[in-house]
Amino acid sequence: MSKIGIPRALAYYLYFPFWNVFFSELGHEVIVSSPTTRVIMDRGIEEAVNDACIPIKIYHGHVVDLMNKVDYIFCPRLVSMRKHGDFGTETFCPKFLGLPDMVRLGIKSLPSIIDTRIDLKKGKDELANICQEIAQQLNNTINEASRAYHQAVKTEQNFQKILEAGHTPLEAMDIMSGQDHKVDHVERYDAKIAVVGYPYALYDEYVNVGLLKLLKKQNVKVFTQDMLSDQLMNRQARTLPKSMFWYFSNRVVYGGLHYLARKDIDGLIHVTAFACGPDSMVDRLLEIESRRRGPKPYLSIAIDEHTGEAGVRTRIEAFLDMLRYRRDKL
């Protein structure tokens, strides 16, 4: 049995349930890095290249947190998650594509890295083939890999159902581990706000200084793009002259456009990572569409290693005050 380390960063928030079950069913122990702290972030800043965005720096910190605890670090080379049909070529950010190399060359004395290439646009059987490849690297049999893969697929389907019931990925993971998270049934929320952004910006409570909790404390019903099915989001692709090149960026754009079209949503917040090239285009596109399709109030919150809770709280409170004023005037 080997110890497999999974960094609590980047794609973790959407794909951990699948890989956790897959490795566990193979008989290995999965160890997740600690939640993000100042220490983890500072260590990541030390190890990463200077021009990396804050999510990449934090990922390096999580790798360092794991390196003396595990036999392998799971750091796949994410290329694509789907064929995107008539909507154009879609891939991950270049820093995702080169992430295993950045980690391997930037951090000394690392354990072995599982850097399998994940390119699911090749076809429906590609994920099963990838799982076979990983299992072989870990000295598991073909039958063991097949059994683990099918259990992981079932887990992923259950995870998606919980998300679409109105839970965030972190809440869904808690539910799957036996914790109880009920969807609030408040008769009247002060506001209903869609919060969109890359999952590692939305759900890492340290880096976004507890943004979602702050909104909920203000009696705001929060919606994110990860609560939507792919079918709902992909409908929005047909309303654009061209989709973006990046998978996570398209999810943010499609989710944002879906919520802009809903009359029950009072406003849209985009959480963006400072120095992220693709995100700068996503932010501008959503801002333009919020005026054209709404008009609906729009707020952009940029996060980096210097983001402070007081600043975010002030902007959120001002945004909510504006929503209340607008609602009263209407």
Side-chain angles (χ1 to χ4, degrees), residues 301-313:
I301 294 182
I303 55 173
D304 63 12
E305 55 263 48
H306 305 297
T307 302
E309 182 179 353
V312 171
R313 179 183 289 111

Side-chain angles (χ1 to χ4, degrees), residues 153-303:
V153 168
K154 291 179 182 178
T155 298
E156 176 64 21
Q157 291 170 344
N158 185 35
F159 181 58
Q160 291 300 320
K161 289 179 181 177
I162 298 172
L163 292 178
E164 291 169 24
H167 295 282
T168 67
L170 293 178
E171 291 171 348
M173 290 179 201
D174 285 343
I175 291 170
M176 294 174 74
S177 67
Q179 299 183 41
D180 186 23
H181 275 278
K182 295 181 179 179
V183 176
D184 296 330
H185 294 288
V186 178
E187 291 186 5
R188 180 174 175 80
Y189 289 100
D190 197 44
K192 293 182 179 180
I193 296 177
V195 185
V196 298
Y198 299 153
Y200 42 87
L202 288 186
Y203 308 119
D204 189 322
E205 295 180 355
Y206 181 85
V207 75
N208 68 33
V209 295
L211 172 64
L212 299 187
K213 287 184 177 179
L214 176 61
L215 287 167
K216 290 178 180 179
K217 286 180 181 178
Q218 296 287 331
N219 195 32
V220 170
K221 175 66 174 175
V222 174
F223 300 84
T224 74
Q225 78 270 355
D226 301 307
M227 297 174 184
L228 303 173
S229 67
D230 283 347
Q231 289 79 7
L232 277 178
M233 285 194 285
N234 286 342
R235 289 176 189 173
Q236 300 303 322
R238 298 180 175 88
T239 70
L240 294 168
K242 183 177 177 61
S243 289
M244 304 194 78
F245 296 108
W246 306 285
Y247 173 69
F248 278 147
S249 297
N250 279 332
R251 287 181 62 87
V252 174
V253 171
Y254 300 163
L257 296 183
H258 169 86
Y259 288 121
L260 287 174
R262 281 178 47 169
K263 294 182 179 179
D264 62 322
I265 299 297
D266 298 302
L268 180 67
I269 296 175
H270 177 215
V271 184
T272 175
F274 180 75
C276 174
D279 223 4
S280 63
M281 287 179 272
V282 170
D283 191 54
R284 184 59 177 155
L285 175 59
L286 288 177
E287 182 182 5
I288 292 171
E289 293 298 326
S290 68
R291 295 174 183 171
R292 187 173 74 86
R293 302 191 184 205
K296 193 159 285 189
Y298 177 79
L299 174 65
S300 175
I301 294 182
I303 55 173

Side-chain angles (χ1 to χ4, degrees), residues 70-89:
V70 299
D71 304 305
Y72 295 90
I73 291 177
F74 183 56
C75 180
R77 193 179 304 277
L78 292 175
V79 178
S80 73
M81 295 305 297
R82 60 185 179 181
K83 287 185 177 179
H84 206 33
D86 299 328
F87 306 128
T89 301

Side-chain angles (χ1 to χ4, degrees), residues 40-41 43-45 48-62 305:
I40 285 178
M41 184 172 71
R43 190 63 192 273
I45 291 171
V49 295
N50 290 333
D51 62 345
C53 59
I54 188 60
I56 294 294
K57 292 175 180 177
I58 286 176
Y59 187 90
H60 281 68
H62 281 278
E305 55 263 48

